Amino acid sequence: QVQLVESGGGLVQAGGSLRLSCAASGRTASDYMMGWFRQAPGKEREFVAGISRTGGARKYADSVTGRFTITRDNTKYTVYVQMNNLKPEDTAVYYCAASQRKFWVPVLVSEYDYWGQGTQVTVSS
């Protein structure tokens, strides 16, 4: 089992940047595909970005491509998402997740096995 703790959320103006971190403990973080999801009030949780075990493969939602970058540092058991040019529609609770899938970066909520508690990101216009 792995425990995930997100940090780095906050309030930022439109056009600004934030970097979220997800620290993993328990089993070695490099055993898992990792992903970021978000959930806005009244909406379903949606995929934002995902990264393979070694970091060699990444996937992004169309809405964040070109603005967000997911990375991981397996020596620190930490996954990051750098969010640039933030928009009010990026406002949501952001969740880190770990998946035991082996062959491709998963994008569905159901494909992830462990979740963090979430961190709030609010983008003002």
Side-chain angles (χ1 to χ4, degrees), residues 6-49:
E6 304 95 336
S7 61
L11 173 64
V12 64
Q13 289 188 333
S17 298
L18 283 174
R19 188 177 80 156
L20 305 183
S21 299
C22 172
S25 61
R27 286 183 59 184
T28 305
S30 59
D31 290 345
Y32 298 91
M33 301 277 195
M34 299 296 294
W36 286 95
F37 287 74
R38 67 187 181 188
Q39 189 167 16
K43 295 187 176 182
E44 294 187 352
R45 193 169 296 189
E46 64 175 3
F47 175 77
V48 174

Side-chain angles (χ1 to χ4, degrees), residues 11 23 35 67 82 98 107-108:
L11 173 64
R67 300 188 298 122
Q82 176 67 42
V107 300
L108 300 178

